[in-house]
Amino acid sequence: MAHPKRKISRTRRDKRRTHYKAVVPTIATCPTTGEAHLFHRAHWHEGKLYYRGQVLIDNSEKEENLA
């Protein structure tokens, strides 16, 4: 196994780690529902699955038929 010949100083270690950053997720607002969601992700709103303002899956009809 590889072993370091010299101790890495705190400064050198921290310089290396400067590129590892936490990124705040970008939030979008749906033009149809006004719901906040992550970009490029589908989201549920009132029993319907929306993506880019269009309904992909409509579960509200199934719930009405079962009741």
Side-chain angles (χ1 to χ4, degrees):
M1 291 179 61
H3 287 61
K5 200 166 205 175
R6 299 252 184 267
K7 180 180 178 178
I8 302 292
S9 68
R10 282 176 261 145
T11 307
R12 278 187 90 83
R13 179 198 65 200
D14 294 344
K15 279 189 208 175
R16 185 182 68 245
R17 292 180 180 174
T18 59
H19 304 290
Y20 302 127
K21 299 173 185 165
V23 179
V24 177
T26 52
I27 304 294
T29 306
C30 181
T32 308
T33 62
E35 190 81 11
H37 62 92
L38 292 174
F39 271 109
H40 306 290
R41 303 288 194 284
H43 63 281
W44 289 97
H45 181 70
E46 296 180 355
K48 297 178 183 176
L49 183 67
Y50 287 89
Y51 182 69
R52 298 181 70 187
Q54 297 181 358
V55 178
L56 296 179
I57 300 173
D58 191 357
N59 282 345
S60 61
E61 294 175 358
K62 293 179 183 177
E63 292 172 0
E64 290 174 2
N65 291 339
L66 293 175

